[in-house]
Amino acid sequence: MVTSAPENPQNPADALPKSWDPSAVEAELYQGWVDAGYFQADPTSEKPGYSIVLPPPNVTGSLHMGHALDHTLMDALTRRKRMQGFETLWLPGMDHAGIATQTVVEKQLAADGKKKEDLGREQFVEKVWDWKRESGGTIQGQMRRIGDGVDWSRDRFTMDEGLSRAVQTIFKRMYDDGLIYRAERLVNWSPVLQTAISDIEVKFEEVEGELVSLRYGSLNDDEPHVVVATTRVETMLGDTAVAVHPDDERYKHLVGTTIFHPITERQIPVIADDYVDPTFGTGAVKITPAHDPNDFEMGLRHNLPMPTIMDKAGKIADSGTRFDGMDRFEARVAIREELAEQGRVVAEKRPYLHSVGHSERSGETIEPRLSMQWWVKVESLAKAAGDAVRNGDMVIHPASQEPRWFAWVDHMHDWCISRQLWWGHRIPIWYGPNGEIECFGPDETAPEGWEQDPDVLDTWFSSGLWPFSTMGWPENTPELEKFYPTSVLVTGYDILFFWVARMMMFGTYVAGDDALGGGKVPFKDLFLHGLVRDQYGKKMSKSRGNGIDPLDWVERFGADALRFTLARGANPGSDLAVGEDHAQSSRNFANKLFNATKFALMNGAVVTELPARGELTDADRWVLDRLEQVRAEVDEAFEKFEFSKACEALYHFAWDEVCDWYLELAKVQLAEEGNRPAHTRAVLGAVLDSLLRLLHPVIPFVTETLWKVLTGGESLVIASWPAATGVATDADAARRIEDMQKLVTEVRRFRSDQGLKPSQKVAARLNEIDAADLASQVPAVRSLARLTEPEDGFAATASVEVRLSRATVTVELDTSGTIDVAAEIARLRKDLAVAEKELAGTSAKLGNEAFLAKAPAQVVEKITARKQIAEEEIARFTARLAELGQA
């Protein structure tokens, strides 16, 4: 638990709890940010604008790992831009999710033994609104839990009055421009929901079915007949042709004739079409235009009849056979049995594994069905969306996703936008008593006696307007002027085609509109991240039981740990695998940061003006230079949306360099006389101040807690982002520190090999220190390697030789009574084997005339130097082994 700080703490560190407990502080910190208005955007500000709109989650949904990744990355981007001095808008909202929401409420009615028809349309829609007000929006509370810095004052819903106005406005414009039309075409039909559904709501699954080969025409081998194979026997009731390839010699004599249909007993034509693959199966296929997408296109080409032989519920209807009234799957069995009795089943393959589309919402098999629907003519819109990327108006990150973008928008089919639902945006088309059809905009009223189209619009239609409808379009608003086009869209590559393409089509369509300030595209950058997978790289799913609830991780490890785990794995276009070990590691990182800052505060770290560079130690200059290098790496990575690189750079700098080295070096400097301790406290303060700022966008809670105590500042949310210092890097200081680190590491390794306790001090003499230019680092070496000054009568019993950048330093140690001779011999033999392998490898390359003839001179020089070092090390290890009687 967080302990309350004393009223007059003796040290700033006393204001911190004993240990980091995220659950005790996160909620209060977040509410404080919201109450202070830090996340509210001011469109009248003179600061440059930066904006992101949240991909609207379904009102029925809850936060899953994909959302958590999305939100973490968007929050990191907006927090950083805010700190860089931008007027930042991250606009939240939710989608009304037509099918999902209607299904939820229909299930509630079913539990009471009712159907929506029992209530009527108006009463049912009101009941859905009631559900939305009472139960919808669970995800909003979850967004707060992970620290989303959204502008809650601008929270939008796709069926808000303003957004509904935008929907009606653009529908009428497109209808008047001839881009929206009504036609009978093939759609994905859900017999359970009894509506057309979009491609994204169809999930394809491998299922075990049956492949049945059927004989059409005569049962007499000497008379015309063909054999076709199908997995959907029941659709043969809607057959209007059999098709073969025009060059298939086997069937040329049949093309242009008719053949007997074994169930309907009609004569159907045999047609020739290039679509047919003559090498697949028998080379002949049955054509059912009203129940198969490919057959539909062939039906159009050959002007075939297109009878629909199933009703909205998926039952056989109007086929003129005894199978009318049967469920489609019941009919499949019955028809196959009848054909078998006729002797027309030539072959059956069971089980036959094939991919079948299923409704994501209701789970049943989707039925391709000919249906009268409303459509968007996409050719010109899709071309504009493609050209926007080709022209550089929008940039896709990573660029490797561009071919997939072009493959989609350059070959897009017209978009079915009508749904046979009651919940959603009602299509603004009205029908008059004398057959009139009119589209009325938001400020127009249909004449009395006219009836509105009963269908609603596809949810993707309204969410496609999201970047500008949420800011007040079609009105000319300050928000649009300041924040449109938005800066970046962050989303998964898996919905590139469905949502992103819709927004680009709408955005380019309204480009030049006065209210949009001539914006050509809805967002300037498109960042596509990958899918979150489990620790084994498997896709998370309910069936596998490997899903991870992000709120569970928040409870157990803290929001920062969740966020850092996701951001650390996020690279453009790449999937990321996460597991509990990753979350625990991130939690450990937060703890490390907390403990390091608390230690610094306990030792007087302060944020103040830094001393002149000449007054600083090598360690001070080194850590400040490394901080500047990391800042530059982080800035570059953020600009390229390479979150993983930014997080890795910060993690290793914080843990490996600040905590593992500089804090230890600071202990040495704090014990010295003069100005050294004060200078060290200032450097500690400066490094931690900047480090916490750099980490804040990804892990806001622990950084906020520490930074406020360290600096006394109001909040990191509104603090400035670290800027370039412009100070030249001290290469000599970096070299000396790197050599010191190598020397200490090797001595520590030797001690570990000998089984010496880390706290055990050993007398040692350091040779060639001056030659190595490390005289200034001797106090640090002795402190960090636990080496004491040798006394009179010192006699070395062991030594460690370390080749550094300018000389080889020999550390002679008196390990009498402590050294494990057997372990030392084993260590030397191991090192000798490594050196001998290196010598063999380099000698082989330098003895290869073909290699020497092709290799650049600098490469040969490096290999020659490596060979020389290996020879020297072999000599040293051999000599040391001889001293131990191992000649």
Side-chain angles (χ1 to χ4, degrees):
M1 291 293 294
V2 173
T3 55
S4 58
E7 293 184 3
N8 297 298
Q10 298 300 309
N11 185 294
D14 295 336
L16 292 173
K18 290 183 178 179
S19 61
W20 177 238
D21 180 6
S23 63
V25 299
E26 289 178 348
E28 184 178 351
L29 276 178
Y30 183 82
Q31 193 56 49
W33 294 331
V34 173
D35 292 343
Y38 294 151
F39 303 141
Q40 290 187 15
D42 179 7
T44 66
S45 167
E46 295 183 359
K47 299 177 183 178
Y50 182 87
S51 59
I52 295 178
V53 291
L54 177 76
N58 287 355
V59 67
T60 59
S62 59
L63 202 70
H64 57 62
M65 271 297 184
H67 288 130
L69 173 61
D70 252 358
H71 293 211
T72 293
L73 303 185
M74 284 183 278
D75 197 35
L77 290 171
T78 51
R79 284 180 183 269
R80 174 173 174 265
K81 286 296 182 180
R82 188 181 294 110
M83 295 174 74
Q84 287 184 312
F86 286 78
E87 189 61 37
T88 302
L89 169 63
W90 184 15
L91 195 150
M94 287 187 298
D95 192 287
H96 65 279
I99 292 176
T101 308
Q102 178 160 323
T103 299
V104 167
V105 179
E106 284 196 80
K107 285 181 178 178
Q108 290 181 346
L109 288 176
D112 296 331
K114 297 181 180 179
K115 297 186 295 185
K116 69 179 187 298
E117 288 79 9
D118 296 330
L119 276 67
R121 185 168 192 143
E122 290 187 13
Q123 191 176 346
F124 175 78
V125 169
E126 185 54 41
K127 191 169 185 64
V128 180
W129 275 109
D130 289 341
W131 177 89
K132 187 264 180 184
R133 286 186 283 266
E134 295 171 10
S135 306
T138 298
I139 207 166
Q140 292 180 329
Q142 296 172 329
M143 288 167 60
R144 294 172 181 266
R145 293 288 305 280
I146 66 171
D148 282 7
V150 297
D151 186 346
W152 289 112
S153 69
R154 300 177 186 277
D155 191 24
R156 304 307 301 268
F157 183 55
T158 47
M159 286 184 63
D160 284 349
E161 182 178 348
L163 273 69
S164 295
R165 181 178 181 83
V167 168
Q168 294 173 35
T169 299
I170 202 165
F171 186 101
K172 180 169 176 56
R173 284 192 191 181
M174 296 176 74
Y175 179 82
D176 291 345
D177 286 346
L179 294 175
I180 290 180
Y181 65 95
R182 192 172 185 236
E184 188 176 40
R185 300 179 63 178
L186 213 63
V187 296
N188 299 311
W189 186 264
S190 167
V192 171
L193 301 171
Q194 296 193 20
T195 179
I197 62 174
S198 68
D199 290 339
I200 198 172
E201 288 156 338
V202 177
K203 300 297 180 185
F204 284 89
E205 303 172 4
E206 292 291 321
V207 299
E208 289 187 354
E210 59 181 6
L211 182 65
V212 184
S213 296
L214 307 173
R215 179 166 175 149
Y216 284 41
S218 176
L219 290 173
N220 186 335
D221 292 344
D222 296 329
E223 296 177 355
H225 65 275
V226 293
V227 175
V228 300
T230 181
T231 58
R232 305 175 67 221
V233 176
E234 70 280 6
T235 62
M236 72 179 301
L237 299 177
D239 288 350
T240 55
V242 169
V244 297
H245 192 276
D247 297 331
D248 194 330
E249 295 292 338
R250 295 170 296 175
Y251 301 113
K252 277 193 172 182
H253 66 289
L254 292 177
V255 175
T257 68
T258 61
I259 200 162
F260 177 75
H261 189 286
I263 296 294
T264 65
E265 299 183 352
R266 294 192 302 268
Q267 292 289 327
I268 58 175
V270 178
I271 62 173
D273 195 285
D274 289 334
Y275 172 78
V276 180
D277 181 358
T279 66
F280 181 78
T282 63
V285 293
K286 57 189 274 315
I287 305 302
T288 316
H291 293 276
D292 182 272
N294 296 316
D295 291 4
F296 175 74
E297 296 297 329
M298 205 179 300
L300 292 177
R301 289 195 293 273
H302 295 272
N303 196 29
L304 297 175
M306 299 187 181
T308 298
I309 50 89
M310 289 185 205
D311 64 16
K312 295 178 181 180
K315 292 184 178 182
I316 304 299
D318 301 325
S319 72
T321 70
R322 69 180 181 85
F323 304 106
D324 281 356
M326 286 187 183
D327 175 80
R328 53 185 170 153
F329 300 116
E330 179 187 2
R332 177 177 299 175
V333 175
I335 294 172
R336 174 170 44 77
E337 289 176 348
E338 178 166 321
L339 290 169
E341 290 176 5
Q342 293 182 23
R344 292 184 178 276
V345 176
V346 176
E348 294 178 85
K349 185 176 181 180
R350 303 182 196 169
Y352 179 71
L353 196 65
H354 61 133
S355 183
V356 177
H358 291 75
S359 169
E360 182 185 40
R361 300 298 174 190
S362 49
E364 89 279 19
T365 301
I366 287 302
E367 186 63 44
R369 185 173 188 269
L370 195 61
S371 177
M372 183 66 75
Q373 302 283 347
W374 286 96
W375 303 81
V376 170
K377 190 180 296 183
V378 301
E379 184 178 3
S380 62
L381 303 173
K383 181 180 184 303
D387 289 345
V389 175
R390 291 185 177 94
N391 300 336
D393 296 324
M394 184 189 78
V395 179
I396 296 178
H397 308 267
S400 59
Q401 291 287 338
E402 283 186 8
R404 295 181 68 223
W405 173 259
F406 294 131
W408 177 257
V409 298
D410 292 348
H411 303 92
M412 191 181 294
H413 298 294
D414 284 1
W415 171 22
C416 175
I417 57 172
S418 48
R419 299 290 179 265
Q420 290 65 57
L421 303 172
W422 286 357
W423 170 249
H425 292 283
R426 190 91 172 259
I427 288 178
I429 293 289
W430 294 73
Y431 304 100
N434 299 314
E436 304 95 333
I437 301 178
E438 290 287 342
C439 178
F440 295 102
D443 297 319
E444 301 172 330
T445 303
E448 187 175 349
W450 286 46
E451 292 187 4
Q452 188 173 3
D453 194 289
D455 289 350
V456 300
L457 286 165
D458 177 12
T459 297
W460 297 99
F461 191 95
S462 53
S463 60
L465 311 180
W466 191 249
F468 49 90
S469 66
T470 51
M471 296 188 199
W473 187 89
E475 307 304 324
N476 194 339
T477 67
E479 287 77 11
L480 285 169
E481 184 176 350
K482 183 73 174 180
F483 298 114
Y484 189 86
T486 61
S487 304
V488 59
L489 176 73
V490 177
T491 191
Y493 64 68
D494 53 326
I495 60 171
L496 171 66
F497 312 134
F498 304 104
W499 184 47
V500 179
R502 309 301 190 222
M503 288 188 289
M504 282 296 293
M505 289 194 299
F506 283 136
T508 53
Y509 173 67
V510 298
D513 188 288
D514 290 342
L516 301 179
K520 296 180 180 179
V521 289
F523 26 82
K524 302 169 187 174
D525 287 290
L526 170 62
F527 169 66
L528 298 168
H529 59 72
L531 303 178
V532 184
R533 298 180 179 271
D534 71 11
Q535 60 186 324
Y536 305 109
K538 301 290 186 182
K539 186 174 181 179
M540 294 184 184
S541 68
K542 291 181 180 178
S543 60
R544 285 195 180 99
N546 63 343
I548 301 172
D549 182 352
L551 272 297
D552 177 56
W553 277 13
V554 171
E555 291 285 349
R556 297 166 58 197
F557 307 114
D560 286 333
L562 168 72
R563 294 166 61 108
F564 195 74
T565 298
L566 294 172
R568 192 178 180 187
N571 274 320
S574 299
D575 292 348
L576 59 153
V578 297
E580 284 197 9
D581 288 349
H582 301 93
Q584 185 63 60
S585 173
S586 297
R587 169 64 191 268
N588 292 344
F589 179 57
N591 288 341
K592 187 81 168 180
L593 198 63
F594 180 87
N595 293 334
T597 307
K598 189 169 185 178
F599 165 82
L601 287 168
M602 290 173 65
N603 285 277
V606 61
V607 178
T608 186
E609 185 177 352
L610 284 173
R613 291 273 291 188
E615 299 179 23
L616 299 178
T617 66
D618 283 344
D620 295 336
R621 291 194 292 274
W622 164 76
V623 77
L624 289 171
D625 289 347
R626 283 294 299 129
L627 172 65
E628 173 60 12
Q629 291 164 0
V630 169
R631 179 210 58 77
E633 289 176 35
V634 169
D635 274 340
E636 182 180 11
F638 264 113
E639 292 303 317
K640 294 181 178 179
F641 306 102
E642 294 173 341
F643 298 92
S644 179
K645 286 187 179 180
C647 290
E648 284 296 312
L650 288 168
Y651 176 89
H652 289 293
F653 174 66
W655 194 300
D656 301 343
E657 297 178 292
V658 175
C659 295
D660 284 358
W661 286 104
Y662 186 71
L663 288 184
E664 295 302 314
L665 294 170
K667 292 176 184 178
V668 179
Q669 296 181 178
L670 289 169
E672 297 181 13
E673 302 292 333
N675 293 329
R676 187 64 52 78
H679 292 173
T680 302
R681 294 184 182 103
V683 173
L684 270 173
V687 170
L688 289 171
D689 176 24
S690 290
L691 179 59
L692 293 172
R693 292 174 193 253
L694 291 169
L695 282 165
H696 177 73
V698 177
I699 50 174
F701 293 105
V702 68
T703 53
E704 175 84 340
T705 301
L706 296 172
W707 186 85
K708 288 171 72 173
V709 175
L710 175 69
T711 66
E714 180 182 342
S715 173
L716 260 179
V717 179
I718 54 172
S720 60
W721 184 254
T725 63
V727 177
T729 300
D730 189 332
D732 288 333
R735 172 182 52 79
R736 285 190 287 267
I737 293 300
E738 289 170 8
D739 280 349
M740 178 274 298
Q741 291 172 329
K742 183 176 181 181
L743 181 57
V744 169
T745 299
E746 287 301 312
V747 174
R748 283 175 171 173
R749 186 165 71 92
F750 169 80
R751 291 171 57 102
S752 176
D753 289 343
Q754 301 308 308
L756 296 177
K757 295 179 181 179
S759 60
Q760 186 174 353
K761 295 184 178 181
V762 179
R765 182 163 49 228
L766 308 179
N767 300 320
E768 302 301 320
I769 283 292
D770 289 339
D773 190 25
L774 283 187
S776 61
Q777 301 304 314
V778 170
V781 172
R782 290 195 176 279
S783 177
L784 273 59
R786 297 293 190 269
L787 304 177
T788 61
E789 290 281 358
E791 299 179 354
D792 292 342
F794 172 81
T797 61
S799 66
V800 179
E801 294 183 352
V802 185
R803 184 181 182 89
L804 302 177
S805 59
R806 293 198 170 183
T808 296
V809 170
T810 302
V811 181
E812 298 178 321
L813 304 97
D814 178 8
T815 58
S816 55
T818 61
I819 188 169
D820 183 338
V821 175
E824 171 67 349
I825 291 172
R827 181 184 71 84
L828 288 168
R829 284 178 172 167
K830 181 180 178 182
D831 290 345
L832 178 61
V834 172
E836 288 174 338
K837 183 178 180 181
E838 174 72 353
L839 178 61
T842 52
S843 297
K845 286 187 176 180
L846 294 174
N848 185 333
E849 294 184 2
F851 169 77
L852 294 175
K854 296 180 179 179
Q858 61 268 30
V859 172
V860 176
E861 288 175 8
K862 286 183 179 180
I863 295 175
T864 302
R866 284 169 49 195
K867 179 175 180 288
Q868 182 180 347
I869 293 171
E871 290 171 337
E872 292 173 359
E873 289 182 339
I874 288 171
R876 285 198 302 273
F877 297 145
T878 302
R880 178 59 182 149
L881 283 167
E883 292 174 8
L884 296 173
Q886 300 295 308

